[in-house]
Amino acid sequence: MTMSTEQMVIELKSVTYDLISLLERETQGLRQLEISEYEQFVSEKSALSMQYEQLVVKLRTRGTELRQLAEKDKAELRELQAEFQHAARRNMTALQAAKSTNERMVNAIVRAVNDKANENCTTYNRSGQTGKASLGGYGRPTSKPGTSYSVNETL
């Protein structure tokens, strides 16, 4: 069944309102979201974004019909689009800040581990001899001979 232009506009408005709401909830909750909650946001955002894009592409092919919409509806679409763009920018800024914070934390942890390892951490090599630890971090080669590390993951 093919949707009329008016039905598509109504659907686009609904999807846009849902996307704005989702972006604002994600932006507000970014600092306290659990990973499973964040994955749910990503999944919902992906689905709504795809639906939004499909509606916009279909509506662009109906330019003549869109121009015939009531001026009230056109104004509402413009306002809604501006609100969506604003919410998307706020969300992007919050996500970039979270990413930057996470990268700084990971780098601080790596530096702390490397500093501690270089201080007084000893390791065993294949022949059972002890030596100073040499961590390259992120797979960087070190000038020191390689050392094997393992983590006990049993509960």
Side-chain angles (χ1 to χ4, degrees):
M1 180 177 146
T2 305
M3 291 173 64
S4 71
T5 300
E6 290 78 16
Q7 290 171 322
M8 290 175 102
V9 168
I10 291 168
E11 182 69 16
L12 178 63
K13 288 177 187 178
S14 175
V15 169
T16 305
Y17 281 121
D18 290 347
L19 257 173
I20 291 169
S21 174
L22 179 74
L23 290 172
E24 289 174 349
R25 285 183 296 147
E26 181 183 42
T27 301
Q28 294 299 318
L30 203 55
R31 292 179 187 207
Q32 56 222 359
L33 284 177
E34 297 292 326
I35 191 72
S36 61
E37 291 175 299
Y38 182 72
E39 288 172 352
Q40 180 66 30
F41 271 109
V42 170
S43 176
E44 284 182 55
K45 189 167 32 172
S46 178
L48 283 170
S49 296
M50 190 181 318
Q51 190 176 2
Y52 175 88
E53 185 177 353
Q54 289 171 349
L55 284 166
V56 168
V57 167
K58 287 178 185 177
L59 281 169
R60 283 189 179 146
T61 66
R62 299 181 181 195
T64 305
E65 295 171 36
L66 282 173
R67 284 188 284 281
Q68 294 172 356
L69 283 176
E71 195 56 43
K72 179 185 135 214
D73 289 333
K74 289 189 235 179
E76 185 182 358
L77 278 174
R78 282 189 292 271
E79 289 173 16
L80 193 54
Q81 180 63 24
E83 187 180 341
F84 171 65
Q85 292 298 324
H86 185 65
R89 277 192 295 276
R90 282 193 317 264
N91 184 258
M92 183 177 65
T93 301
L95 289 173
Q96 287 172 339
K99 179 183 177 216
S100 176
T101 299
N102 285 341
E103 287 173 351
R104 285 194 309 271
M105 280 185 15
V106 167
N107 288 335
I109 292 168
V110 168
R111 276 193 309 275
V113 168
N114 283 338
D115 290 348
K116 191 66 177 171
N118 288 333
E119 280 178 15
N120 58 5
C121 183
T122 57
T123 61
Y124 293 96
N125 64 18
R126 288 183 183 173
S127 62
Q129 298 172 331
T130 61
K132 279 272 214 202
S134 62
L135 298 177
Y138 293 130
R140 289 188 313 246
T142 61
S143 58
K144 301 175 187 176
T147 304
S148 174
Y149 296 94
S150 68
V151 176
N152 183 354
E153 296 182 0
T154 58
L155 298 176

